[in-house]
Amino acid sequence: MRNIVFESELNREQLAAVTAPDGAVLVIAAAGTGKTRTLVYRVAYLVEKGIDSQRLLLLTFTNRAAAEMLERAQGLVGESVSGIWGGTFHHMANRILRRHGDLLGYGSDYTILDQDDSKRLMRDCARELKLADKHFPKPEVLISLSGLASSMFRKIEDVAKDRFEHTSIDIADIARVHNRYTARKRELNAMDFDDLLSNGLKLFREHSCILERYRDKFQHVLVDEYQDTNYIQAEWVDLIAGPDGNLLVVGDDFQSIYSWRGADFKNIMTFPERYPGARIYKLETNYRSVPEILSCANECIAGNPEQFQKSLHAVRDPYKKPVLVGMRDGNEQAGFVIERAERLRSEGFRMSDIVVLYRSHFQALELQLELARRRIPYVITSGVRFFEQSHIKDVCALPRLFNNPGDELAFKRLLGMWRRVGDRTSENIWNKLGRRCDLRKPATRERLGSLLPAPAQEAWRTVDAIADSFQDDDLFSDPGEIIHRFVKGFYDLYAMEMFDNYNRRMEDIQELINYTVKFENLDAFLNEIALQSNLDAETEPGLGAEGVESIRLSTIHQAKGLEWRAVFLLWLADGLFPVSRALVDGSESEERRLFYVAITRAKDELYLCVPRIRKTRDGGVDLLDPSRFVQEISPELMSSESIHAFS
């Protein structure tokens, strides 16, 4: 074990937090200020003070984060930290429940259901209640609803109502399946991932003797990324630390961006109220970004009223201002990003030093297409490529079949979305139709309708009506209209029942519909997306391979915690970022925090892209206002460019 000189190895802010006296401590660690370093040195400091590592509890959100911290702490103080209880909330709850789960009626050998096990069990519960043949959410959606209800400590009926209130789905049926699922887990001596947290909390709430045992055991509790805790996690920490315990939490209210998955911003904001004597330390010295980028970050986040006020200070030398770039539309935006990335590469940047960030997945469509056309390798961290996504393939199945009655794959994909039509049924129907299905012919449609099982008839009537209205060949020149009618008549409810991230997928589909306006007919549209998929496939083998330079594309949520030398931020227009619904439901503050997170990913160069026009499905255009977040930044903090076509 080496001798640690804390005063020389930490800056003034970090040293104050690391050597904080016992009691409640809130460390507000702004972006790039050495949060992990501070936590690691706090562990080392406590061990050097003589605290037995077995009496330390370190809670993180990923096993990787816990392993990294413990490895770094071991590098500082050696094997004396080997006994620390470190890991995720789920890991720690499981460890305690294995010892005391019998008090809640579980055997110590209970099974933890993985995602596939949970889906199968939920599906079985729906079938037992005879809900399989009616409009009803898929198991993945039901599990998500159940988990959200658990993490937010809300009734399943209330969570389900938020999602399905304006549909034909019976909320009472969702509650019945949820209750059956809960009972079946009990019968199987099993818990799913969410149960670990809720039962861990229940154990402490109902059995004070167990709670006191662990309060006595853990002399110090440390929590990472505290701004991301949900209701259960925060109360669990409060209980195990106790009102007079030694609790140190590290987080940044400016980076609280996960309310959609249950994180509660109020946990970090009310910490001083729950612990009146808490000491608050702020880490504001940023080691990541140049001062020009930090000036923009400080100014944008100042617009949020409810927060711990702080200002990032740079240690790096001045470099260059972020660039505000005006352009006409998404195509010009894509061209600008590629050309500027190529220029950066000529200046010594690697392509892997560059990231393109966006608020929503569909906002990268034009860029993906242009990268594929130019054979430029790229990696997407926020999902699969646009035209390879299942929901995009789903809504393109009907246009494909209209265009080519012999497209067996499109036929089977279309029928596969309908209830009680599996692979074998669709194969039999395809054969009975003579391995061809021309939906423009009434006789073919009548024959197909007669072969479908009763539960599929409702979906079929939507397709039949679309086909019947498209007798004029001119109507087949509008692929967007076909997709629009299919979504309105069938796929919208199907997606709501099928996908947990329904809103994101419907945004993608709307963007696809808008994209169709550039094509003269259905055939041209289908040819283009097929070619784009194949261009993607041609570049795919090299992506991520050693020696291959690839530009990275990511949603901002996926990029949190990461950094790049150069960042391009797309579609900075009101309604796109911030998204329209945030301006209605009161979540604008979280959108501004998301913008702050995006800016602070950049180390050297930052490009803020502001298109002014967006095409609509009817062939018109929407004139866009620059994002209010951009407008809140003083013009003198940025340099401005307009690419030639927009000038």
Side-chain angles (χ1 to χ4, degrees), residues 141-179:
V141 176
L142 293 171
I143 291 168
S144 176
L145 293 172
S146 179
L148 195 59
S150 174
S151 67
M152 300 177 73
F153 235 66
R154 297 177 63 194
K155 293 181 179 180
I156 188 66
E157 292 88 346
D158 295 337
V159 175
K161 187 177 180 181
D162 290 344
R163 174 80 178 260
F164 296 110
E165 183 175 14
H166 301 296
T167 71
S168 60
I169 295 170
D170 191 337
I171 303 302
D173 284 342
I174 293 178
R176 289 171 58 213
V177 174
H178 170 79
N179 293 337

Coordinates of all heavy atoms in Angstrom, one line a residue, residues 141-179:
V141 N -44.4 -5.2 -22.9 CA -45.0 -3.9 -22.4 C -45.6 -4.1 -21.0 O -45.4 -3.2 -20.2 CB -46.1 -3.5 -23.4 CG1 -46.9 -2.3 -22.9 CG2 -45.5 -3.3 -24.8
L142 N -46.2 -5.2 -20.7 CA -46.8 -5.4 -19.4 C -45.7 -5.5 -18.3 O -45.8 -4.9 -17.2 CB -47.5 -6.8 -19.4 CG -48.8 -6.8 -20.2 CD1 -49.3 -8.3 -20.3 CD2 -49.9 -5.9 -19.7
I143 N -44.5 -6.1 -18.7 CA -43.4 -6.1 -17.7 C -42.9 -4.7 -17.5 O -42.5 -4.3 -16.4 CB -42.3 -7.0 -18.3 CG1 -42.8 -8.5 -18.2 CG2 -41.0 -6.9 -17.5 CD1 -41.9 -9.4 -19.0
S144 N -42.8 -3.9 -18.6 CA -42.3 -2.5 -18.4 C -43.3 -1.7 -17.5 O -42.9 -1.0 -16.6 CB -42.2 -1.9 -19.8 OG -41.9 -0.5 -19.7
L145 N -44.6 -1.9 -17.7 CA -45.6 -1.2 -16.9 C -45.5 -1.6 -15.4 O -45.5 -0.8 -14.5 CB -47.0 -1.5 -17.4 CG -47.4 -0.9 -18.8 CD1 -48.7 -1.5 -19.2 CD2 -47.4 0.6 -18.7
S146 N -45.3 -2.9 -15.2 CA -45.1 -3.4 -13.9 C -43.9 -2.9 -13.2 O -43.9 -2.4 -12.0 CB -45.1 -5.0 -13.9 OG -44.9 -5.5 -12.6
G147 N -42.8 -2.8 -14.0 CA -41.6 -2.3 -13.4 C -41.7 -0.8 -13.1 O -41.1 -0.3 -12.1
L148 N -42.3 0.0 -14.0 CA -42.5 1.4 -13.7 C -43.3 1.6 -12.5 O -43.0 2.5 -11.7 CB -43.1 2.0 -15.0 CG -43.0 3.6 -15.1 CD1 -41.6 4.0 -15.0 CD2 -43.7 4.1 -16.3
A149 N -44.4 0.9 -12.4 CA -45.3 1.0 -11.2 C -44.5 0.7 -9.9 O -44.6 1.4 -8.9 CB -46.5 0.1 -11.3
S150 N -43.6 -0.3 -10.0 CA -42.8 -0.7 -8.8 C -41.8 0.4 -8.5 O -41.7 0.9 -7.3 CB -42.1 -2.0 -9.1 OG -41.2 -2.3 -8.0
S151 N -41.1 0.9 -9.5 CA -40.0 1.9 -9.2 C -40.6 3.2 -8.8 O -39.9 4.0 -8.0 CB -39.2 2.1 -10.5 OG -39.9 2.7 -11.5
M152 N -41.8 3.6 -9.2 CA -42.4 4.9 -8.8 C -43.4 4.7 -7.7 O -44.0 5.7 -7.2 CB -43.1 5.5 -10.0 CG -42.2 5.7 -11.2 SD -43.0 6.4 -12.7 CE -43.4 8.0 -12.1
F153 N -43.5 3.5 -7.2 CA -44.4 3.1 -6.1 C -45.8 3.6 -6.4 O -46.5 4.3 -5.6 CB -43.9 3.7 -4.8 CG -43.8 2.7 -3.7 CD1 -42.9 1.7 -3.8 CD2 -44.6 2.7 -2.6 CE1 -42.7 0.7 -2.8 CE2 -44.5 1.7 -1.6 CZ -43.5 0.7 -1.7
R154 N -46.3 3.3 -7.6 CA -47.6 3.7 -8.0 C -48.5 2.4 -8.3 O -47.9 1.3 -8.5 CB -47.6 4.5 -9.3 CG -46.9 5.8 -9.2 CD -46.9 6.6 -10.5 NE -48.2 6.9 -11.0 CZ -48.4 7.3 -12.3 NH1 -47.5 7.3 -13.1 NH2 -49.7 7.6 -12.6
K155 N -49.8 2.5 -8.3 CA -50.6 1.4 -8.6 C -50.5 1.1 -10.1 O -50.4 2.0 -10.9 CB -52.1 1.7 -8.2 CG -52.4 1.9 -6.8 CD -53.9 2.2 -6.5 CE -54.2 2.3 -5.0 NZ -55.6 2.6 -4.8
I156 N -50.6 -0.2 -10.4 CA -50.5 -0.6 -11.8 C -51.6 0.0 -12.6 O -51.4 0.4 -13.8 CB -50.5 -2.2 -11.9 CG1 -50.2 -2.6 -13.4 CG2 -51.8 -2.7 -11.4 CD1 -48.8 -2.3 -13.8
E157 N -52.8 0.2 -12.0 CA -53.9 0.8 -12.7 C -53.6 2.2 -13.2 O -53.9 2.7 -14.3 CB -55.2 0.8 -11.9 CG -55.8 -0.5 -11.6 CD -55.2 -1.2 -10.4 OE1 -54.1 -0.7 -9.9 OE2 -55.8 -2.2 -9.9
D158 N -52.9 3.0 -12.3 CA -52.6 4.4 -12.6 C -51.5 4.4 -13.8 O -51.6 5.3 -14.7 CB -52.0 5.1 -11.4 CG -53.1 5.2 -10.3 OD1 -54.3 5.2 -10.7 OD2 -52.7 5.4 -9.1
V159 N -50.5 3.6 -13.7 CA -49.5 3.6 -14.7 C -50.1 3.1 -16.1 O -49.8 3.7 -17.1 CB -48.3 2.6 -14.3 CG1 -47.3 2.5 -15.5 CG2 -47.6 3.2 -13.1
A160 N -50.9 2.1 -16.0 CA -51.6 1.6 -17.3 C -52.5 2.7 -17.9 O -52.6 2.8 -19.1 CB -52.3 0.3 -17.0
K161 N -53.2 3.4 -17.0 CA -54.1 4.4 -17.5 C -53.4 5.5 -18.3 O -53.8 6.0 -19.3 CB -54.9 5.0 -16.3 CG -56.0 6.0 -16.7 CD -56.7 6.5 -15.5 CE -57.9 7.4 -15.9 NZ -58.6 7.9 -14.7
D162 N -52.2 5.9 -17.8 CA -51.4 6.9 -18.5 C -51.1 6.5 -19.9 O -51.0 7.3 -20.8 CB -50.0 7.1 -17.8 CG -50.2 7.8 -16.4 OD1 -51.3 8.4 -16.2 OD2 -49.2 7.8 -15.6
R163 N -50.9 5.2 -20.1 CA -50.5 4.6 -21.4 C -51.7 4.3 -22.3 O -51.7 4.6 -23.5 CB -49.7 3.4 -21.2 CG -49.3 2.6 -22.5 CD -48.1 3.2 -23.2 NE -47.7 2.4 -24.3 CZ -46.7 1.6 -24.4 NH1 -46.0 1.4 -23.3 NH2 -46.4 0.9 -25.5
F164 N -52.8 3.8 -21.7 CA -53.9 3.2 -22.6 C -55.2 3.8 -22.4 O -56.2 3.3 -22.8 CB -54.0 1.7 -22.3 CG -52.8 0.9 -22.7 CD1 -51.9 0.3 -21.7 CD2 -52.4 0.7 -24.0 CE1 -50.8 -0.4 -22.0 CE2 -51.3 0.0 -24.4 CZ -50.5 -0.6 -23.4
E165 N -55.3 5.0 -21.7 CA -56.6 5.6 -21.3 C -57.5 5.8 -22.6 O -58.7 5.6 -22.5 CB -56.3 6.9 -20.6 CG -57.6 7.6 -20.1 CD -57.4 8.8 -19.3 OE1 -56.2 9.3 -19.4 OE2 -58.3 9.3 -18.7
H166 N -56.9 6.2 -23.7 CA -57.7 6.5 -24.9 C -57.8 5.4 -25.9 O -57.9 5.6 -27.1 CB -57.2 7.8 -25.5 CG -57.2 9.0 -24.6 ND1 -58.3 9.5 -24.0 CD2 -56.2 9.7 -24.0 CE1 -58.0 10.5 -23.2 NE2 -56.7 10.6 -23.2
T167 N -57.6 4.2 -25.4 CA -57.7 3.0 -26.3 C -58.8 2.1 -25.8 O -59.5 2.3 -24.8 CB -56.4 2.2 -26.3 OG1 -56.2 1.5 -25.1 CG2 -55.2 3.1 -26.6
S168 N -59.1 1.0 -26.5 CA -60.1 0.1 -26.2 C -59.6 -1.0 -25.1 O -60.4 -1.8 -24.7 CB -60.6 -0.7 -27.4 OG -59.5 -1.4 -28.0
I169 N -58.4 -0.9 -24.8 CA -57.8 -1.8 -23.8 C -58.3 -1.6 -22.4 O -58.4 -0.4 -21.9 CB -56.2 -1.7 -23.8 CG1 -55.7 -2.2 -25.2 CG2 -55.6 -2.6 -22.7 CD1 -54.2 -1.9 -25.4
D170 N -58.8 -2.6 -21.8 CA -59.4 -2.6 -20.4 C -58.3 -2.5 -19.4 O -57.5 -3.5 -19.2 CB -60.3 -3.8 -20.2 CG -61.2 -3.6 -19.0 OD1 -60.8 -2.9 -18.1 OD2 -62.2 -4.3 -18.9
I171 N -58.2 -1.4 -18.6 CA -57.2 -1.3 -17.6 C -57.4 -2.4 -16.5 O -56.4 -2.8 -16.0 CB -57.3 0.1 -17.0 CG1 -57.1 1.2 -18.0 CG2 -56.2 0.3 -15.9 CD1 -55.9 1.1 -18.8
A172 N -58.6 -2.7 -16.3 CA -58.8 -3.8 -15.3 C -58.2 -5.1 -15.7 O -57.7 -5.9 -14.8 CB -60.3 -4.0 -15.0
D173 N -58.2 -5.4 -17.0 CA -57.6 -6.6 -17.4 C -56.0 -6.6 -17.2 O -55.4 -7.6 -16.9 CB -57.8 -6.8 -18.9 CG -59.3 -7.3 -19.2 OD1 -59.9 -7.8 -18.3 OD2 -59.7 -7.2 -20.3
I174 N -55.5 -5.4 -17.4 CA -54.0 -5.3 -17.2 C -53.7 -5.5 -15.7 O -52.8 -6.2 -15.3 CB -53.5 -3.9 -17.6 CG1 -53.6 -3.7 -19.1 CG2 -52.1 -3.7 -17.1 CD1 -53.2 -2.4 -19.6
A175 N -54.6 -5.0 -14.8 CA -54.4 -5.2 -13.4 C -54.5 -6.7 -13.0 O -53.8 -7.2 -12.2 CB -55.4 -4.4 -12.6
R176 N -55.5 -7.4 -13.7 CA -55.7 -8.8 -13.4 C -54.5 -9.6 -13.8 O -54.0 -10.5 -13.1 CB -56.9 -9.3 -14.2 CG -58.3 -8.8 -13.7 CD -59.4 -9.2 -14.7 NE -59.5 -10.6 -14.9 CZ -59.8 -11.2 -16.0 NH1 -60.1 -10.4 -17.1 NH2 -59.9 -12.5 -16.2
V177 N -53.9 -9.3 -15.0 CA -52.7 -10.0 -15.4 C -51.5 -9.8 -14.5 O -50.8 -10.6 -14.1 CB -52.3 -9.7 -16.8 CG1 -51.0 -10.3 -17.2 CG2 -53.4 -10.1 -17.8
H178 N -51.4 -8.5 -14.1 CA -50.3 -8.1 -13.2 C -50.5 -8.9 -11.9 O -49.5 -9.4 -11.3 CB -50.4 -6.6 -12.9 CG -49.5 -6.1 -11.8 ND1 -48.1 -5.9 -12.0 CD2 -49.8 -5.8 -10.5 CE1 -47.6 -5.5 -10.8 NE2 -48.6 -5.4 -9.9
N179 N -51.6 -8.9 -11.3 CA -51.9 -9.6 -10.1 C -51.6 -11.1 -10.2 O -51.0 -11.8 -9.3 CB -53.3 -9.4 -9.5 CG -53.5 -8.0 -9.1 OD1 -52.6 -7.2 -8.8 ND2 -54.8 -7.5 -9.2

